[in-house]
Amino acid sequence: MNQLGIIGYPLSHSISPEFQQAALDHHKIKAKFHRWEIKIDELNSFFETIQDANFVGASVTIPYKEQFLDLVDKVSDSANLIGAINCIVNTNNQLVGHNTDGSGFIRALKTKHGFNPHGKKVLLIGAGGAAKAIAYSLVQENIKEITIANRTVSRGDELAQKLKSITPKIKSVKLERQSLIKPLNDVDLIVNTTSIGMKNSLNPEHSPIPVDLIPPNTVVNDIVYNPIETPLIKAAKMKNAFTIGGLDMLVYQGVEAFELWTGKHAPETIMYDAARKALGL
Ligand code: NAP
């Protein structure tokens, strides 16, 4: 039987097995989507077990997204630039690493919500792993300009520097009220990639930006999906902004991965419904 799964540690929170299995079943593909919860000292021996013709591919999540760059046979150009892998595909017995976080984020924006980032002004909050993937994908879409706001400015500077050759209109500021006034005065898309507002984080009740500065008629996308309605999403709704929650990126990175593994069109609605059900919604 064909084997697929998600690799990470811990994995109890992951809903990928539910929505990927729903997609496999929809296409009547005889395959099991596993939950491979692998501890760090088990990683090398686990990796040997997937060098097998029945292994189709896997999603890769925390804490292994960077580590897998050195383990796979080949790395896609985008995963190389982002510096992380979130998907592996067995291609003719070679394990190829991809990154579908950014492409999934863009696909959700464009196909599900009809928002084309081309020519738009973006405020990206955060400069961690998810921010890198999203920033890389956004600049490929010929956005007009992007401001990265991060708590640790040096991390934001580093990301801005890396992307400067693709888009000159990029800057990095500190994640604080004073530095956000100007970028928020003229912005089309705000994306939160920090864990602020996430359940069980240090600040589950907080918005990453001052809510009074959120302009109306903006698209606000919070990639945190637990809770579905984060403090930022709630505040943006009050300001009449158009809001997009984190479940879309989660499902669409999985949609892109499913298509790489199977070559078939992913049943987006079925996957989204299975994801909501797995979250008890
Ligand atoms: P990461 O690499 O650890 O980056 C975390 C980011 O959050 C950094 O920019 C960090 O700033 C910032 N941050 C954390 N706590 C903060 C605080 N108290 N105040 C200000 N900034 C803070 O994590 P990641 O992998 O990018 O994930 C970030 C979030 O995105 C998580 O909530 C994760 O669940 C979510 N996510 C969602 C999806 C999806 O598909 N929807 C995919 C990936 C990630 P510093 O640089 O200053 O530390």
Side-chain angles (χ1 to χ4, degrees):
M1 198 187 206
N2 289 327
Q3 307 293 328
L4 295 107
I6 178 163
I7 308 165
Y9 190 89
L11 273 186
S12 52
H13 67 282
S14 176
I15 57 169
S16 291
E18 282 85 353
F19 66 72
Q20 293 294 6
Q21 192 66 54
L24 292 166
D25 294 348
H26 169 80
H27 278 293
K28 299 191 170 43
I29 297 170
K30 282 201 167 61
K32 164 116 176 111
F33 198 93
H34 296 267
R35 195 181 283 274
W36 284 312
E37 192 164 48
I38 307 297
K39 290 191 183 135
I40 185 77
D41 56 346
E42 299 163 347
L43 193 59
N44 285 335
S45 60
F46 170 77
F47 207 75
E48 279 167 28
T49 67
I50 59 172
Q51 316 271 342
D52 179 296
N54 289 327
F55 175 75
V56 178
S59 294
V60 179
T61 188
I62 288 169
Y64 300 130
K65 287 186 177 186
E66 288 169 10
Q67 227 155 329
F68 267 73
L69 285 170
D70 297 327
L71 290 173
V72 292
D73 300 310
K74 263 172 80 176
V75 179
S76 74
D77 288 346
S78 55
N80 218 353
L81 206 92
I82 293 163
I85 283 170
N86 79 327
C87 170
I88 12 178
V89 184
N90 184 347
T91 310
N92 304 322
N93 291 326
Q94 276 211 315
L95 295 183
V96 184
H98 296 262
N99 194 308
T100 66
D101 275 334
S103 54
F105 171 85
I106 297 288
R107 186 156 159 188
L109 261 189
K110 282 178 150 177
T111 66
K112 188 165 178 202
H113 299 287
F115 179 87
N116 189 341
H118 181 99
K120 301 292 196 299
K121 295 181 178 174
V122 182
L123 173 66
L124 182 72
I125 309 157
K132 277 186 200 150
I134 290 171
Y136 169 77
S137 300
L138 279 170
V139 299
Q140 303 285 329
E141 295 290 319
N142 289 321
I143 51 172
K144 189 168 187 186
E145 62 180 54
I146 180 165
T147 302
I148 299 164
N150 198 41
R151 176 179 60 180
T152 310
V153 182
S154 58
R155 239 178 143 192
D157 289 350
E158 206 180 298
L159 178 55
Q161 196 54 40
K162 209 169 156 192
L163 295 172
K164 235 184 185 121
S165 60
I166 311 174
T167 180
K169 288 219 136 198
I170 186 162
K171 67 179 179 215
S172 154
V173 300
K174 186 158 177 64
L175 181 57
E176 64 180 8
R177 185 180 180 91
Q178 198 53 37
S179 314
L180 290 172
I181 292 173
K182 202 165 163 227
L184 278 169
N185 193 33
D186 184 20
V187 67
D188 302 299
L189 171 67
I190 300 168
V191 187
N192 173 45
T193 71
T194 72
S195 48
I196 300 172
M198 188 172 78
K199 189 177 164 192
N200 299 330
S201 71
L202 289 176
N203 12 41
E205 308 294 332
H206 292 167
S207 160
I209 53 175
V211 297
D212 60 301
L213 295 183
I214 300 172
N217 308 320
T218 313
V219 175
V220 177
N221 191 331
D222 194 341
I223 73 160
V224 172
Y225 62 88
N226 194 5
I228 286 289
E229 199 158 84
T230 60
L232 174 62
I233 292 285
K234 274 188 194 152
K237 279 185 178 167
M238 303 270 286
K239 289 286 206 147
N240 287 327
F242 181 82
T243 58
I244 303 176
L247 199 54
D248 286 339
M249 174 177 166
L250 181 71
V251 171
Y252 277 84
Q253 62 75 31
V255 161
E256 296 261 308
F258 181 88
E259 293 179 352
L260 286 171
W261 296 325
T262 66
K264 293 184 191 299
H265 185 74
E268 297 162 27
T269 311
I270 286 172
M271 293 170 82
Y272 193 77
D273 289 348
R276 284 185 63 89
K277 192 171 164 208
L279 288 173
L281 300 168

